[in-house]
């Protein structure tokens, strides 16, 4: 007789359904661990956010960025409202709602003090929708350390070249082929030449760029360029000022030839190897004008009118001017009209008055601080870049510049 009881029992199967098979238990534990870690992260984020909110409120009150409101319970302080904190691998930022009547510039005006109170080196304000802005914090001041120019050259006029590094560490670039002349001002020893060494070193190899111009100091142009295709288009020295005038006239003649032979239905020459972009460098231009004026008024007028023509008509003919001066006073650079032709404007250390002169009244509030800034730090106004502070790349001195030109400078065909 057989019964169910005597039937051999099936081997016991491991219970799998709730863990999802072999290795399932481990996966489950890992999931739980990840969830706990995420909860801990959120909790830490909340604590940090609460901390920052309190610090922000105190910092705003401390610098006077607040409104006092009289309520039944007494006087209360209102500060720009802290929204949410965002932590990403690239940095820390938070949102802020402006106070009634407030503007982003109110925060910018106290940027350094507010950032220091929060334990950071600096901050930048980015407008968002409506009354909200994003305050981006910087751990370290990228302007404080030297920024070496990488060993790179551009091959074409429409490749961007490096102008500098912004306060938030982002690189600022400019393609020479984009329309616009470049103005650089700064007191003696503020970094104009170093910036120019960097710009020209990056451009020296480009097949569709000619680096021409006038340099009474003979350092930026001249000797360093011997043996390159650019040298015949450069004039240096302060002995023969008439030669500078004649040379600038020659460049204007070249521009006129291009304007006359412009193909039909074209109002703008794109740089090519056959019709290269001509960068007319005018190092210490007010010095050239002053020296010419002292010698012969007519000579100075001739120089001024040549430069005015390059500035006003050059853009269409692929001519760009890079003018360097200690300050861009109208009468030192050929008049207010000449000054208005520059789309890209850089100011190294200059008196507050000169900063406002080149960058407009909005820059006035930046004046006192910038008047004492270190060499190599400049304010930039350019299309799409509204008065940003940057550090110019450092080539490594005059010797290093000469080495780069000797190595990279385009040779005559
Ligand atoms: N971008 C920079 N980074 C670091 N140091 C700089 C920079 N620019 C200038 N310097 C320092 O300042 C000095 C003077 O700079 P320079 O360009 O010759 O001034 P400028 O032409 O305005 O008279 C340089 O020798 C260098 O020591
Ligand atoms: Mg100089």
């Amino acid at each position: 007789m057989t019964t169910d009881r005597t039937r051999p029992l099936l081997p016991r199967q491991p219970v799998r359904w709730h863990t999802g098979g072999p290795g399932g238990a481990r996966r489950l534990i890992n999931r739980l661990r990840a969830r706990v870690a995420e909860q801990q992260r959120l909790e830490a984020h909340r604590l940090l956010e609460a901390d920052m909110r309190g610090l922000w409120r105190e910092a705003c009150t401390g610098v006077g960025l607040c409104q006092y409101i009289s309520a039944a319970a007494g006087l209360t302080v209102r500060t720009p409202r802290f929204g949410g904190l965002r932590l990403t691998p690239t940095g820390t930022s938070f949102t802020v709602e402006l106070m009634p009547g407030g503007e982003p510039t109110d925060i910018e005006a106290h940027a350094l003090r507010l950032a220091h109170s929060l334990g950071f080196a600096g901050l930048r304000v980015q407008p968002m929708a409506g009354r909200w802005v994003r305050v981006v914090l910087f751990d370290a001041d990228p302007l404080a350390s030297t920024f070496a120019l990488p060993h790179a050259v551009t091959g074409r006029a429409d490749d961007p070249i490096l102008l500098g590094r912004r306060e938030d560490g982002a690189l600022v670039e400019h393609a020479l082929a984009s329309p616009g002349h470049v103005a650089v001002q700064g007191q003696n020893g503020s970094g104009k030449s170093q910036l120019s060494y960097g710009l020209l070193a990056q451009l020296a190899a480009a097949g569709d760029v000619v680096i021409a111009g006038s340099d009474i100091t003979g350092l930026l142009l001249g000797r360093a360029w011997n043996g390159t295709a650019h040298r015949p288009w450069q004039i240096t020295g302060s002995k023969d000022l008439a030669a500078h005038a004649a040379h600038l006239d020659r460049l204007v003649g070249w521009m006129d030839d291009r304007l006359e032979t412009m193909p039909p239905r074209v109002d703008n020459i794109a740089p090519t190897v056959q019709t290269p972009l001509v960068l007319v460098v005018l190092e210490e231009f007010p010095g050239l004008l002053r020296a010419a004026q002292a010698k012969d008024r007519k000579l100075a007028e001739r120089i001024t009118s040549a430069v005015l023509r390059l500035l006003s008509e050059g853009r269409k003919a692929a001519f760009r001017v890079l003018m360097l001066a200690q300050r861009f006073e109208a009468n030192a650079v050929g008049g207010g009209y000449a000054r208005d032709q520059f789309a890209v404007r850089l100011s190294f250390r200059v008196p507050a008055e000169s900063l406002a002169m080149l960058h407009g009244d909005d820059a006035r509030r930046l004046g006192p601080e910038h008047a004492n800034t270190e060499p190599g730090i400049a304010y930039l106004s350019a299309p799409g870049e509204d008065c940003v502070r940057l550090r110019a790349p450092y080539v490594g001195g005059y010797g290093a510049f000469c080495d780069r030109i000797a190595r990279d400078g385009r040779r005559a065909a």
Side-chain angles (χ1 to χ4, degrees), residues 131-147:
R131 302 289 301 154
W132 287 86
V133 295
R134 177 168 292 285
V135 175
V136 183
L137 296 161
F138 317 134
D139 291 327
D141 183 0
L143 299 187
S145 55
T146 298
F147 161 42

Side-chain angles (χ1 to χ4, degrees), residues 214-231:
S214 138
D215 174 9
I216 49 174
T217 70
L219 291 171
L220 186 54
L221 302 178
R223 219 171 32 196
W225 298 82
N226 283 348
T228 68
H230 309 283
R231 184 67 183 93

Side-chain angles (χ1 to χ4, degrees), residues 146 187-194 375-376 391-394:
T146 298
Q187 290 171 335
N188 231 337
S190 61
K192 301 181 298 294
S193 297
Q194 294 298 330
R391 181 175 267 275
Y394 187 54

Side-chain angles (χ1 to χ4, degrees), residues 18-237:
H18 66 280
T19 59
R26 191 165 25 84
R27 280 204 297 277
L28 180 66
I29 289 169
N30 285 347
R31 262 208 315 276
L32 290 174
R33 274 209 189 116
R35 197 180 297 168
V36 170
E38 175 63 10
Q39 273 164 358
Q40 282 171 345
R41 195 188 64 77
L42 284 175
E43 185 54 28
H45 186 95
R46 262 195 296 275
L47 286 176
L48 185 61
E49 194 172 58
D51 242 21
M52 293 283 274
R53 179 173 286 124
L55 284 173
W56 172 250
R57 193 175 152 77
E58 281 175 19
C60 288
T61 315
V63 301
L65 185 59
C66 58
Q67 294 171 351
Y68 293 96
I69 296 162
S70 160
L75 208 59
T76 60
V77 182
R78 177 199 271 170
T79 51
R81 184 149 67 97
F82 188 102
L85 179 69
R86 187 200 279 173
L87 299 171
T88 62
T90 53
T92 308
S93 67
F94 57 87
T95 50
V96 166
E97 188 184 19
L98 298 172
M99 288 188 294
E103 286 291 328
T105 46
D106 300 343
I107 300 176
E108 280 166 359
H110 302 289
L112 275 185
R113 286 163 189 271
L114 290 171
H116 292 168
S117 300
L118 297 171
F120 285 80
L123 64 77
R124 190 158 47 89
V125 182
Q126 290 174 345
M128 290 169 65
R131 302 289 301 154
W132 287 86
V133 295
R134 177 168 292 285
V135 175
V136 183
L137 296 161
F138 317 134
D139 291 327
D141 183 0
L143 299 187
S145 55
T146 298
F147 161 42
L149 182 72
H151 276 258
V153 289
T154 57
R156 298 164 50 114
D158 51 10
D159 277 346
I161 53 170
L162 191 60
L163 287 183
R165 187 169 64 183
R166 259 182 0 200
E167 266 167 307
D168 58 354
L171 298 181
V172 181
E173 295 180 321
H174 171 69
L176 206 58
S178 60
H181 305 295
V182 184
V184 181
Q185 71 169 354
Q187 290 171 335
N188 231 337
S190 61
K192 301 181 298 294
S193 297
Q194 294 298 330
L195 169 80
S196 316
Y197 294 161
L199 299 184
L200 300 192
Q202 293 178 74
L203 290 164
D208 56 356
V209 175
V210 168
I211 293 165
S214 138
D215 174 9
I216 49 174
T217 70
L219 291 171
L220 186 54
L221 302 178
R223 219 171 32 196
W225 298 82
N226 283 348
T228 68
H230 309 283
R231 184 67 183 93
W233 295 101
Q234 304 175 351
I235 182 129
T236 58

